[in-house]
Amino acid sequence: MKKKSALLALALSGVLALTACGGKTEAPNNAGNDAAAAKTVRLGIFKNVTHAPGYIALEQGLFQKYWGDNVKIEVQAFDNGSDFSTALATDQIDLGFVGPGPATNQYIKSKNFRVISGSNNGGAVLVAGKDSGINSVKDLVGKTVAIPTKGSTNEISLRLLLEQNGLKVTTDTSGVQIIARAPADTLIAMRQKEIEATLIPEPWGTQMEQEGIGKVIVPWDQIPPNNGNYPLTILVASDKFLKENREMAKQAVKANAEAIEFIKNNPDKSYELINNRLKELSGKGMDVNLIKAALSHLNLTTDVSKEAIEEMASVSINAGYIKDVKKEELDLSQFLDLSLLDEVKQGK
């Protein structure tokens, strides 16, 4: 009996020794404690500098750092929030970065994804053509103003700006007409004087100003709501991904937060990294000075204002982008799930 006990003790000590020596084979802070962590994560992002934290998280390998080398990351680039939100709602992507305007519009329809963190506040400006005669918002009466896409966060800001100045959106010259054009097309149209003004994300406004074809008449920190301190880029995840890979979703929140700190602490290095990712996503880079100017017009933060998102949603209801919902019936309490962000902030 003593012999068997001795053998058992020896076997247990051997197991403990192997466990102690096996540190190098342990998974990093990756897929966390999920029972069946995803082997592939489909991440969506825009071809726009306002998604800088996402760019840095990819370039610095922060998602890979937290998820582990065994996880394959498939990056899908989008031109607008409507396409992104549709892809998220229809299980074509798992999580990613988008504007609150189109994301809210889609959420009202599908209710199958959540906001899990902020990434960037502000970063859009109102630009008028140099020779347009427009020097203030009130001068937009009878003019046509371009926005990147219908229902976008930029359009919502424009509608709020017009409302603040007592102007209406119309289809004739009695008010302000709104048209949708991609930022690159808007730049060309501004050069050719085909449009008179645009509310557009940076760095397009700065580029128009530097080229001498436009002038910023409302800077980023005066754009509503909250004078520029409104969510422009948020991190969202599908309900399916949150249910099956909640710890991985939290690690994504960590990667986003770490990327924000990296940009703040290493701005010069960040410009080049952002440009590298921009080249990969869009096929061409951007003057580093433009990227620098754009980042100076952003408030990079993980915080999310529920009140600002609700205000923007009310504008979308008035504009007809959110249908069959009255403003007094609007309930976005489940749209924001910031519990993971709270855990990250608490160091969990």
Side-chain angles (χ1 to χ4, degrees):
M1 192 72 181
K2 289 183 178 179
K3 184 177 181 180
K4 287 183 179 180
S5 299
L7 288 172
L8 179 60
L10 181 62
L12 286 173
S13 64
V15 170
L16 291 172
L18 285 171
T19 303
C21 295
K24 291 183 180 179
T25 62
E26 288 180 2
N29 288 333
N30 54 3
N33 298 317
D34 293 322
K39 300 304 180 193
T40 299
V41 178
R42 302 163 298 172
L43 187 146
I45 200 164
F46 285 17
K47 307 168 188 175
N48 200 302
V49 176
T50 53
H51 288 228
Y55 286 11
I56 292 297
L58 289 168
E59 285 293 305
Q60 288 294 97
L62 300 180
F63 292 119
Q64 207 77 67
K65 165 188 169 182
Y66 285 112
W67 290 338
D69 293 336
N70 61 319
V71 175
K72 179 182 178 182
I73 302 173
E74 292 182 355
V75 179
Q76 296 186 32
F78 292 86
D79 292 310
N80 61 71
S82 296
D83 290 345
F84 174 102
S85 300
T86 299
L88 184 64
T90 55
D91 194 32
Q92 297 175 55
I93 56 175
D94 300 305
L95 78 170
F97 299 85
V98 68
T104 305
N105 298 349
Q106 178 61 53
Y107 171 78
I108 296 296
K109 301 174 188 175
S110 61
K111 291 186 171 62
N112 62 351
F113 60 89
R114 302 285 183 271
V115 179
I116 59 175
S117 176
S119 189
N120 163 50
N121 280 10
V125 293
L126 180 65
V127 181
K130 184 179 179 182
D131 302 318
S132 64
I134 301 172
N135 297 301
S136 68
V137 176
K138 292 187 181 297
D139 293 332
L140 293 175
V141 174
K143 308 295 184 181
T144 299
V145 184
I147 43 90
T149 186
K150 287 290 186 179
S152 64
T153 305
N154 296 139
E155 181 183 355
I156 292 170
S157 288
L158 175 60
R159 286 177 176 270
L160 282 169
L161 192 61
L162 297 176
E163 183 180 312
Q164 288 176 0
N165 286 269
L167 305 184
K168 293 183 178 181
V169 176
T170 62
T171 56
D172 56 35
T173 56
S174 65
V176 181
Q177 298 182 62
I178 297 177
I179 62 169
R181 286 196 180 182
D185 295 334
T186 298
L187 175 63
I188 294 171
M190 190 70 82
R191 287 171 180 161
Q192 298 174 348
K193 298 183 179 180
E194 294 176 357
I195 59 171
E196 296 153 307
T198 177
L199 199 149
I200 197 166
E202 287 287 40
W204 300 99
T206 295
Q207 184 169 354
M208 292 174 186
E209 199 167 45
Q210 289 183 0
E211 286 188 17
I213 60 173
K215 55 187 176 183
V216 174
I217 59 173
V218 180
W220 76 277
D221 56 0
Q222 293 178 29
I223 296 290
N226 295 342
N227 290 324
N229 193 27
Y230 60 89
L232 186 73
T233 308
I234 52 178
L235 180 60
V236 295
S238 71
D239 285 356
K240 179 182 177 183
F241 188 79
L242 285 169
K243 180 180 179 181
E244 297 176 357
N245 304 283
R246 187 169 179 81
E247 187 66 21
M248 291 184 77
K250 184 164 79 171
Q251 304 292 20
V253 172
K254 286 184 179 180
N256 174 60
E258 190 170 326
I260 289 172
E261 288 307 307
F262 182 91
I263 295 172
K264 291 178 178 179
N265 296 328
N266 307 275
D268 291 334
K269 186 175 181 181
S270 296
Y271 306 145
E272 293 293 344
L273 292 173
I274 291 167
N275 202 27
N276 290 342
R277 182 56 55 165
L278 190 61
K279 287 178 185 176
E280 184 171 335
L281 295 177
S282 66
K284 57 183 178 180
M286 182 175 288
D287 187 297
V288 171
N289 288 325
L290 278 176
I291 296 175
K292 181 178 181 179
L295 290 186
S296 69
H297 294 169
L298 308 178
N299 176 19
L300 301 176
T301 178
T302 58
D303 293 336
V304 185
S305 170
K306 180 173 179 286
E307 293 73 24
I309 289 180
E310 288 175 336
E311 182 177 359
M312 289 188 281
S314 294
V315 175
S316 289
I317 291 174
N318 289 338
Y321 294 122
I322 297 178
K323 303 181 184 299
D324 302 321
V325 177
K326 296 179 181 179
K327 284 193 284 188
E328 58 270 21
E329 298 172 346
L330 182 67
D331 181 10
L332 297 179
S333 59
Q334 301 300 311
F335 182 39
L336 279 75
D337 179 0
L338 303 180
S339 58
L340 293 176
L341 177 61
D342 291 338
E343 290 177 19
V344 171
K345 287 183 175 181
Q346 294 168 18
K348 295 181 180 178

